[in-house]
């Protein structure tokens, strides 16, 4: 995985949008973002991560024009809306590639994380983020869950900063 600040230049969301300013692992960790590279030939290691982090369920999602058909454009637009979840978002990339953008606090800058096959990303509950494919237009990912599989986005608006999961997230990343 490679992380960098998003360049904020208008245009296709699937382009790299690399500002030329890399983001270190320390900055990602300070935002609560965790990541590992586990080669897809060693997927059994995912079981160890799942056990350690108490992930009980998983499924697989494939995002392509072929797999989503007429819903493709609407789904991509929905995934790219800035949102948060009340659960961790865990993705292990099996094939293809894409971008997860996360908001840095307190600057509100976008950090773009480019994921490829073998990358495992954990976003904490309460972090603002969005997802899009890259120019390859294909990703197959394993989604891991602590409880029953669910994906409930809470789009950012004037009320989301008061959401208890957002408040807890901000407390968890506060510098003491």
């Amino acid at each position: 995985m490679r992380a960098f600040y998003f360049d904020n230049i208008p245009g296709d969301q699937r382009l790299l949008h690399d500002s030329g300013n890399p983001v270190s692992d320390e900055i990602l960790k300070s935002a609560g973002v965790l990541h590992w590279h586990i080669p897809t030939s060693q997927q059994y290691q995912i079981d160890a991560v799942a056990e350690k982090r108490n992930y009980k369920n998983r499924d697989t999602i494939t995002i392509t024009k072929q797999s989503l058909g007429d819903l493709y454009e609407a789904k991509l637009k929905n995934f790219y809306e800035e949102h948060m979840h009340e659960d961790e978002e865990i993705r292990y990339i099996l094939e293809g590639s894409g971008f997860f953008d996360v908001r840095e606090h307190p600057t509100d800058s976008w950090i773009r994380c480019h994921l490829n096959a073998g990358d495992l990303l954990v976003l904490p509950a309460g972090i603002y983020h969005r997802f899009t494919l890259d120019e390859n237009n294909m990703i197959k990912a394993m989604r891991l869950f602590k409880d029953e599989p669910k994906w409930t986005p809470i789009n950012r608006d004037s009320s989301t900063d008061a959401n208890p999961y957002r408040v807890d997230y901000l407390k968890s990343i506060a510098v003491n």
Side-chain angles (χ1 to χ4, degrees):
M1 184 188 91
R2 191 168 76 83
F4 46 89
Y5 287 100
F6 188 82
D7 65 12
N8 291 314
I9 296 173
D12 189 338
Q13 68 197 35
R14 294 169 298 174
L15 297 177
L16 194 59
H17 287 282
D18 187 345
S19 66
N21 296 318
V23 172
S24 68
D25 284 346
E26 291 76 28
I27 290 173
L28 289 172
K29 284 180 188 172
S30 72
V33 176
L34 305 175
H35 67 93
W36 298 267
H37 184 80
I38 300 171
T40 56
S41 62
Q42 299 175 14
Q43 281 186 43
Y44 61 88
Q45 292 184 26
I46 294 296
D47 294 335
V49 173
E51 185 175 333
K52 181 178 181 178
R53 295 190 58 81
N54 203 27
Y55 303 144
K56 298 180 185 108
N57 289 295
R58 62 183 77 175
D59 67 11
T60 302
I61 184 170
T62 301
I63 302 172
T64 63
K65 176 73 172 153
Q66 296 76 22
S67 68
L68 296 176
D70 293 340
L71 298 175
Y72 178 74
E73 293 298 331
K75 286 286 189 185
L76 281 184
K77 184 178 180 188
N78 187 43
F79 294 151
Y80 202 63
E81 287 290 321
E82 183 174 5
H83 63 277
M84 57 166 262
H85 300 282
E86 293 182 343
D87 297 300
E88 286 183 339
E89 182 161 340
I90 308 100
R91 299 293 182 265
Y92 176 61
I93 310 307
L94 299 166
E95 297 176 37
S97 50
F99 300 111
F100 277 88
D101 298 337
V102 297
R103 281 284 190 195
E104 182 180 48
H105 182 79
T107 68
D108 231 19
S109 298
W110 281 115
I111 295 173
R112 177 155 271 200
C113 302
H114 193 198
L115 281 73
N116 293 282
D119 289 331
L120 174 65
L121 182 72
V122 178
L123 301 180
I127 192 171
Y128 291 132
H129 64 282
R130 61 189 183 190
F131 168 80
T132 190
L133 294 174
D134 62 13
E135 291 181 280
N136 293 319
N137 293 314
M138 184 278 179
I139 199 164
K140 181 178 181 181
M142 179 186 298
R143 303 184 300 179
L144 294 101
F145 305 92
K146 290 197 178 220
D147 293 306
E148 290 302 312
K150 69 178 180 176
W151 187 85
T152 307
I154 301 169
N155 288 347
R156 187 174 185 178
D157 64 22
S158 60
S159 69
T160 50
D161 279 341
N163 179 292
Y165 291 88
R166 177 68 181 169
V167 170
D168 287 348
Y169 166 72
L170 293 174
K171 287 178 187 174
S172 77
I173 64 167
V175 178
N176 296 327

